[in-house]
Amino acid sequence: MFDMMLVRTLADGAFHSGEALGERYALSRAAVWNRVRALQQAGIPVHAVRGKGYRIPGGLDLLDAAVIQALLPPGHGLPGELQILAVTDSTNERAMEALRRGSGIGNVVFAEQQTAGRGRRGRAWVSPFAANIYMSLSREFSGGLAALDGLSLAVGVAVCDAIADLRLPGAGLKWPNDIVAGAQKLGGVLIEVSGEVSGTCGAVIGIGLNVDMSREQTAGIDQPWTDLRALGLPGGQRNRVAALLLGRVLSALDVFAQHGLGAFLERWRSLDAIRGMSVEVLLGADRITGISEGVDEGGRLVVMTDSGRQVFHGGEVSLRRSA
Ligand code: BTN
């Protein structure tokens, strides 16, 4: 059984004896041990030292809904509920489930850990406990699916703006919405839609942002990655990161709903990490190479190839080593 109360106690990084924990939670020492094992199985490094008890070396920087709300920049009233889950399959799935039930618009879901975190293009999103930000918001848009074109680019800008608020240099965007630092991935955006092709549709906007991951936690990641810690973020800042990110995304969604992608293009272009570089676009079975010329007014990627200029609406872009 995953015991979040026990996690909160151990989050201070100090030793807690099995006896003291047992008394505190009215459990036998064997039951305490079983719960510690469940935490270890979830990847939380709880150490047991004979004669001293249990501890999580270095402690944990847990999310706290009240702290996030207090740190939200002024003018960003939450449109719905803010929920922090300890462990869930995917915050996008939780938000989507609420949409399917006909509720949840305006809600925000964070999780400390995702067991089936989803990335773009069917990839898994590695989501270790209390290490990063995993956040999903639900929002309604009128104008059908077409009105959502470009939304993921706008959200990518909002994520970079939040990183700039933290005074961390070096974050940029790789089309369409990878948040990168150099050639390493720092975060990503996954938007899933439910509803009408025309008319009102509900969108779940999911954001993963790497904050502070240890090497052991990253075994499943199949691409170069980095985190905010490596960019210079001090420890103990996850709630601040969460609040700044949420504030930036909420206001970007309002601006997008009113003005569309046009309001974000200049900023997107200033953050473009691959413009002028030699790229390969993977589109189904096709690989197209050329020089990236950035995005057009519709947010599509423009690439100068040997056979002329091509515009991509979808596809996976990677950098080629030689220009
Ligand atoms: C990408 O592949 O670049 C997109 C990654 C999106 C990950 C986030 S984490 C919160 C939300 N829940 C998910 O299952 N996925 C998104």
Side-chain angles (χ1 to χ4, degrees):
M1 169 202 180
F2 190 95
D3 185 335
M4 196 58 195
M5 282 204 308
L6 183 57
V7 175
R8 283 204 190 90
T9 302
L10 294 171
D12 64 5
F15 275 112
H16 296 267
S17 71
E19 198 180 351
L21 291 171
E23 266 172 30
R24 184 160 176 175
Y25 297 121
L27 293 170
S28 69
R29 288 175 69 167
V32 170
W33 170 233
N34 280 336
R35 282 166 199 234
V36 166
R37 291 262 313 248
L39 300 186
Q40 290 170 333
Q41 276 155 12
I44 303 177
V46 188
H47 291 188
V49 177
R50 196 178 287 277
K52 288 187 159 177
Y54 304 106
R55 75 161 174 163
I56 298 173
L60 292 174
D61 179 16
L62 295 174
L63 294 177
D64 182 320
V67 175
I68 294 173
Q69 258 162 316
L71 291 174
L72 263 185
H76 293 292
L78 271 179
E81 285 169 24
L82 189 153
Q83 206 184 2
I84 295 179
L85 304 172
V87 181
T88 191
D89 48 359
S90 150
T91 53
N92 262 34
E93 183 52 32
R94 298 278 66 75
M96 191 49 86
E97 190 187 68
L99 278 190
R100 282 191 219 107
R101 283 198 313 263
S103 62
I105 291 291
N107 289 355
V108 182
V109 189
F110 286 92
E112 293 289 5
Q113 180 177 20
Q114 297 184 118
T115 53
R118 303 205 279 253
R120 284 173 50 239
R121 309 179 74 76
R123 289 215 182 94
W125 189 257
V126 173
S127 309
F129 194 87
N132 303 318
I133 300 294
Y134 320 114
M135 173 179 94
S136 298
L137 299 84
S138 316
R139 166 104 199 200
E140 223 162 34
F141 290 89
S142 55
L145 287 184
L148 296 185
D149 270 355
L151 174 60
S152 75
L153 278 78
V155 175
V157 168
V159 179
C160 285
D161 285 344
I163 296 170
D165 291 340
L166 291 160
R167 306 267 177 272
L168 299 175
L173 291 167
K174 177 163 92 64
W175 187 88
N177 53 31
D178 279 1
I179 292 91
V180 294
Q184 295 171 312
K185 188 146 169 171
L186 194 54
V189 178
L190 177 68
I191 297 187
E192 298 179 275
V193 181
S194 120
E196 306 295 317
V197 174
S198 57
T200 302
C201 56
V204 169
I205 297 111
I207 296 161
L209 181 59
N210 299 339
V211 180
D212 190 1
M213 280 199 281
S214 67
R215 305 291 122 178
E216 306 86 70
Q217 291 174 315
T218 57
I221 304 184
D222 59 358
Q223 52 189 328
W225 64 271
T226 188
D227 57 20
L228 296 181
R229 193 77 201 253
L231 296 193
L233 184 78
Q237 300 280 306
R238 274 176 82 233
N239 285 297
R240 186 162 158 247
V241 175
L244 290 173
L245 182 66
L246 180 55
R248 284 289 187 176
V249 174
L250 286 172
S251 65
L253 294 180
D254 287 346
V255 172
F256 185 87
Q258 273 201 310
H259 305 288
L261 178 62
F264 297 88
L265 275 178
E266 198 184 322
R267 178 83 176 122
W268 202 100
R269 289 179 175 136
S270 75
L271 291 162
D272 188 343
I274 61 167
R275 191 188 168 103
M277 293 194 183
S278 182
V279 296
E280 180 175 79
V281 184
L282 190 62
L283 197 61
D286 293 336
R287 284 169 192 276
I288 302 107
T289 58
I291 305 291
S292 168
E293 293 193 341
V295 289
D296 70 6
E297 297 303 296
R300 292 168 294 247
L301 180 71
V302 183
V303 178
M304 182 57 89
T305 71
D306 285 345
S307 49
R309 190 166 277 130
Q310 288 194 36
V311 174
F312 297 93
H313 188 77
E316 175 83 350
V317 182
S318 55
L319 284 179
R320 298 175 76 220
R321 241 174 249 153
S322 56

